[in-house]
Amino acid sequence: MKYRKASDIFPDELLKEIQKYSSGELIYIPKVQERQDWGSRSGARTFYVQRNSEIRSKFRQEKKSISELAEEYGLSPETIRQIVYR
């Protein structure tokens, strides 16, 4: 990261206001990022979409029961019902 002189970046009024709070200190200003959907960066969303699709498929095509699926995936029967009937 390259340091830049604050007086080259901020208008005088803003720089004076910032100096009231942190005169002479190093501060970090994070860049603005658009908000991402939940799990999109970590891959969690993809994992759960794929898992839920697999559960629905086993329920419909392989005729597995809700209790069998709950046991297989380590989820409660209620959670399996929500996935299957959604």
Side-chain angles (χ1 to χ4, degrees), residues 1-82:
M1 178 183 340
K2 182 179 172 185
Y3 289 102
R4 294 178 55 196
K5 195 172 179 182
S7 60
D8 293 341
I9 301 170
F10 300 119
D12 289 336
E13 304 82 39
L14 180 56
L15 182 57
K16 288 177 185 175
E17 193 65 28
I18 292 170
Q19 286 173 328
K20 287 181 188 177
Y21 297 95
S22 64
S23 184
E25 293 181 54
L26 292 177
I27 58 171
Y28 169 74
I29 301 173
K31 65 180 177 178
V32 178
Q33 294 180 347
E34 286 188 27
R35 188 170 174 95
Q36 295 180 338
D37 290 336
W38 175 88
S40 62
R41 190 185 314 172
S42 68
R45 177 178 290 277
T46 304
F47 169 79
Y48 289 117
V49 165
Q50 190 173 18
R51 180 202 67 185
N52 293 352
S53 177
E54 194 175 286
I55 289 171
R56 284 187 206 97
S57 174
K58 287 183 179 184
F59 180 75
R60 292 191 179 106
Q61 295 172 356
E62 297 179 23
K63 305 296 184 198
K64 286 200 171 188
S65 70
I66 288 179
S67 59
E68 288 174 324
L69 291 168
E71 182 71 29
E72 182 178 339
Y73 287 94
L75 299 170
S76 71
E78 183 58 35
T79 300
I80 296 293
R81 277 189 207 90
Q82 288 176 356

